[in-house]
Amino acid sequence: MAVNPVLVIKTVDDSVVGVRARLYDDFVEHEIVLNSVLAYWWANNMPPALKFLELFESVIKRTINELIPHKNLKLKYEVKADDVLEKASEIEINLIEIEADDVGFKIEGKPVILKGLVKTSEDFEANEFAKTIEKTIETPDIVLKKYLEMNK
């Protein structure tokens, strides 16, 4: 029986999101420190919910590539927010499926829930937003070559 690799997502005290890929005894782990990225996005008038999704996808891609170098990463996740992503102050991300070159990952951990991404006025009315996102992120050949060399 083949063992599937595992992707573990965990939130540590609302300030760090951890991403860990594991296969047997090997693992790779990266963390997103929310305070620093949020401060940057706020200072540069960037939409935090949207930017977090981009960063989250990138960290998942990098983490898995360091464990299992791959050309294509298929991601499927559901995102819920209290407004459209450009204006959302709260988001919830629930990973549904992850495949690296047709190798499926078991997903462990709870959904990522972030609150207070933007300041809302007292008369703010939530405008529920939910979307299932499916995408394939390709690793450029030159980058894939580097990951393959790292894993020798």
Side-chain angles (χ1 to χ4, degrees):
M1 182 170 112
V3 173
N4 280 12
V6 178
L7 185 73
V8 181
I9 307 296
K10 61 182 179 179
T11 305
V12 181
D13 67 32
D14 296 333
S15 64
V16 175
V17 176
V19 177
R20 175 188 274 208
R22 184 179 73 232
L23 181 61
Y24 298 109
D25 291 336
D26 294 332
F27 71 92
V28 176
E29 186 170 34
H30 291 285
E31 293 181 335
I32 301 170
V33 179
L34 295 171
N35 294 344
S36 40
V37 294
L38 284 172
Y40 177 80
W41 294 330
W42 291 333
N44 291 284
N45 294 317
M46 299 172 156
L50 204 54
K51 298 309 286 180
F52 179 80
L53 288 177
E54 291 172 7
L55 179 60
F56 188 59
E57 291 170 359
S58 174
V59 170
I60 290 172
K61 173 79 170 158
R62 176 181 172 202
T63 304
I64 291 174
N65 240 333
E66 288 179 12
L67 182 72
I68 302 172
H70 59 277
K71 182 68 177 168
N72 293 303
L73 181 72
K74 293 180 184 173
L75 284 173
K76 182 176 181 182
Y77 60 90
E78 182 182 47
V79 61
K80 295 178 185 176
D82 62 349
D83 206 336
V84 294
L85 293 177
E86 292 79 11
K87 298 177 182 177
S89 67
E90 296 181 8
I91 61 170
E92 178 180 326
I93 305 162
N94 188 14
L95 291 172
I96 299 168
E97 185 178 350
I98 296 183
E99 273 184 20
D101 286 344
D102 300 321
V103 174
F105 276 72
K106 179 181 176 192
I107 301 167
E108 291 183 357
K110 297 179 180 170
V112 175
I113 299 172
L114 303 177
K115 298 181 179 188
L117 297 174
V118 295
K119 291 181 181 169
T120 55
S121 61
E122 290 182 22
D123 61 348
F124 173 77
E125 288 186 34
N127 191 9
E128 293 296 317
F129 173 89
K131 183 176 184 180
T132 299
I133 296 173
E134 290 185 62
K135 63 170 44 175
T136 300
I137 306 171
E138 187 175 324
T139 305
D141 290 335
I142 193 164
V143 175
L144 181 57
K145 183 179 174 189
K146 273 283 198 224
Y147 282 122
L148 290 168
E149 288 172 359
M150 284 172 44
N151 277 342
K152 285 186 178 179

